[in-house]
Amino acid sequence: MRCYIFCTLLAAFATTPAIAGAAASTALSGGPVSGSQAAPVPSSSKLAKTVLVVSNLSELKSAMQIALSTTGGAEIRLNSGSYGALVWTNKNHARGRVYLVPNSSSRPIFSAMNLTNSKNIAVSGMHIMGTDRVLVYLNSTENVVFSGNLLTGAKRNQNAWDDGSAGAHVRFAKSVTVNENVFEDLRAGIYFQRSSKISFAYNTLQYIREGVNVAATKDLDIRGNLFRYFQPNVPNGEHPDSIQFW
């Protein structure tokens, strides 16, 4: 059943993402996002005993490989720059969570991120900007935190009609937190499907054509999100309300 009236009211009374969500703030120290131009503030405290600093995609993947066998997990600090597309699939960080955080007040930039079927990863303070159909895949993930990030189309012009990307897909996933992010200049915000124990709180979705789509998902906490400046192509069947439940 589609959700029209209730979800539109929910969007109208949503609070701004400047209020930090407890789950994201506890898991990460990259700083909440309070607007599309906000940059994360690196934390002086360690998120894990092992700290690694990287400057490009090759170094990042090497560091994540090291983290797989590091007891207690690892904090990987990314220097500013363009990292391309990160593909890190079928990886279980069972020895301890791996944290990807910026090493300065400038967001590292990715063209896409695919963490499909991986576990125990936290990503904060990144800018994912590209033209892929979906910018971030969190399908079949478990114990993943995606917080304080900026997801945008390649054209930063506040015109969603020339953008073909969706921000993120969360399908067949469990225990995933998507809090305090900004979704902007996109065809759609995020899709949840056949997942459980999901948090989607204190995010901003703006200059997009469709917002949140939910199908067959249980234990889903949606609260405190800000929906504004929607630009749906209604004649093509796009929905003017903020959230769709199927």
Side-chain angles (χ1 to χ4, degrees):
M1 178 179 180
R2 298 181 181 181
C3 172
Y4 289 99
I5 298 174
F6 171 74
C7 295
T8 302
L9 290 173
L10 178 65
F13 288 99
T15 58
T16 68
I19 304 171
S25 298
T26 300
L28 298 170
S29 299
V33 176
S34 58
S36 61
Q37 301 303 318
V41 179
S43 172
S44 58
S45 60
K46 293 181 179 179
L47 297 167
K49 184 176 180 180
T50 299
V51 177
L52 304 166
V53 179
V54 301
S55 297
N56 56 53
L57 182 61
S58 177
E59 292 178 0
L60 173 58
K61 295 180 80 170
S62 295
M64 294 181 77
Q65 189 66 41
I66 292 171
L68 280 171
S69 58
T70 302
T71 301
E75 175 184 347
I76 303 177
R77 298 183 178 179
L78 283 70
N79 288 322
S80 61
S82 296
Y83 284 75
L86 173 63
V87 178
W88 192 251
T89 59
N90 304 307
K91 307 292 185 183
N92 183 5
H93 290 269
R95 291 179 176 268
R97 174 168 283 171
V98 58
Y99 299 85
L100 305 187
V101 297
N103 197 36
S104 71
S105 60
S106 179
R107 293 180 184 274
I109 300 172
F110 289 84
S111 59
M113 220 177 252
N114 186 347
L115 305 181
T116 295
N117 200 35
S118 291
K119 299 180 181 180
N120 221 12
I121 299 174
V123 180
S124 178
M126 306 300 155
H127 183 180
I128 300 91
M129 176 177 64
T131 58
D132 285 8
R133 189 176 70 89
V134 180
L135 298 183
V136 177
Y137 282 104
L138 301 178
N139 297 338
S140 301
T141 56
E142 186 172 346
N143 295 326
V144 166
V145 177
F146 190 80
S147 174
N149 301 288
L150 175 61
L151 296 88
T152 71
K155 299 178 181 179
R156 301 294 307 283
N157 55 4
Q158 299 181 349
N159 178 11
W161 282 46
D162 59 8
D163 297 299
S165 301
H169 278 188
V170 183
R171 289 172 168 163
F172 305 98
K174 181 179 179 181
S175 299
V176 173
T177 296
V178 182
N179 287 2
E180 300 177 342
N181 303 283
V182 173
F183 297 79
E184 183 177 287
D185 274 307
L186 296 166
R187 175 183 56 80
I190 190 166
Y191 291 81
F192 297 105
Q193 182 180 12
R194 297 186 180 276
S195 298
S196 62
K197 297 182 179 179
I198 304 296
S199 174
F200 186 74
Y202 306 106
N203 300 280
T204 295
L205 296 90
Q206 58 189 10
Y207 304 110
I208 62 177
R209 303 205 313 256
E210 288 211 42
V212 179
N213 281 272
V214 181
T217 293
K218 61 183 180 179
D219 296 329
L220 171 64
D221 178 17
I222 299 181
R223 59 189 166 93
N225 299 289
L226 175 64
F227 301 88
R228 60 183 180 181
Y229 312 135
F230 270 47
Q231 301 168 345
N233 189 337
V234 176
N236 282 356
E238 294 174 353
H239 303 99
D241 48 354
S242 303
I243 306 173
Q244 293 285 318
F245 287 98
W246 302 87

